[in-house]
Amino acid sequence: MAPDEPRSDCIFCGIVEHRLPAHVVYEDERCLAFLDLFPLTRGHLLVIPKHHVDRLKELEPGLYGPFLAAVSELCRRVERLAPDYNVAMNQGARAGQIVFHLHVHLIPRYDHGNPFAVAHRARLDDGDARELVKILSPPAGR
Ligand code: AMP
Ligand code: ZN
C-alpha cells in the first residue's frame, strides 16, 4: 500500500474521511487539527497531515512547509487559551505513540503542574468541546 493512502484501520484516517467524529478546529487541503479525545489539559489538540504516514521521517518533503504552517497557525490560536504550551511528537510505541498516524500535540499549559504525569485522562466533554471549537476555529490574525 502506498504510504499516503487512507488506512481503513487508522482512527485519524477515519477522521480525515469523516467516517469517525472529531471536534475539528482547522482544515486545509493537506492538514487537519482537532481536539484530543483524552486531553492532558483543556484545549489539547492534534495537528495531522491528511495523508497517512506513521512518522515524521516518512512525510513527503513537499508537506514539510504546509504541515509546519498548520502547526504554527494552531500555536497562535492556542495562545487564546494559554500563553505557554507544549508542541510534542511521539514517534514509536516506546516513545508513547499509540496512534500510528503522524500528529503533533499542542498542549496548553495553565500552571506549573505536570499534565504528563496524570494517571487517568478524562474523556473530552462534548459541551466544553463545542466551546473550545468556537474559541479555536477563527483564523489567527497576522
Ligand atoms: P500519541 O500517544 O502521540 O499516539 O497520541 C495519540 C493521541 O490521540 C492521544 O492523546 C489520544 O488521546 C488521542 N486520540 C485517540 N483517539 C482519538 C480520537 N478518536 N479523536 C481524538 N483524539 C484521539
Ligand atoms: Zn491514518
Side-chain angles (χ1 to χ4, degrees), residues 13-141:
C13 284
I15 291 173
V16 170
E17 296 186 305
H18 305 286
R19 284 187 283 106
L20 295 173
H23 293 281
V24 172
V25 296
Y26 174 92
E27 178 160 18
D28 66 31
E29 211 181 308
R30 301 184 192 91
C31 302
L32 189 69
F34 49 88
L35 298 175
D36 195 295
L37 197 56
F38 295 92
L40 286 168
T41 65
R42 181 170 189 258
H44 178 177
L45 59 86
L46 304 170
V47 189
I48 68 168
K50 287 183 173 175
H51 284 182
H52 182 101
V53 289
D54 61 357
R55 293 187 182 200
L56 184 62
K57 65 170 188 160
E58 315 290 351
L59 190 68
E60 216 185 281
L63 290 176
Y64 293 172
F67 187 45
L68 201 56
V71 172
S72 178
E73 167 68 16
L74 271 305
C75 285
R76 282 189 287 274
R77 297 189 195 182
V78 160
E79 290 186 11
R80 294 169 191 165
L81 298 172
D84 300 342
Y85 44 88
N86 294 96
V87 182
M89 251 187 202
N90 301 327
Q91 308 278 271
R94 291 171 197 79
Q97 188 173 13
I98 53 170
V99 177
F100 291 87
H101 180 132
L102 179 64
H103 52 279
V104 164
H105 293 259
L106 293 190
I107 305 167
R109 300 293 291 270
Y110 301 94
D111 53 40
H112 290 278
N114 179 7
F116 299 102
V118 296
H120 172 73
R121 290 164 64 169
R123 196 179 198 279
L124 179 64
D125 174 80
D126 275 336
D128 192 37
R130 282 191 289 275
E131 183 60 30
L132 285 164
V133 168
K134 278 192 218 154
I135 296 169
L136 293 170
S137 293

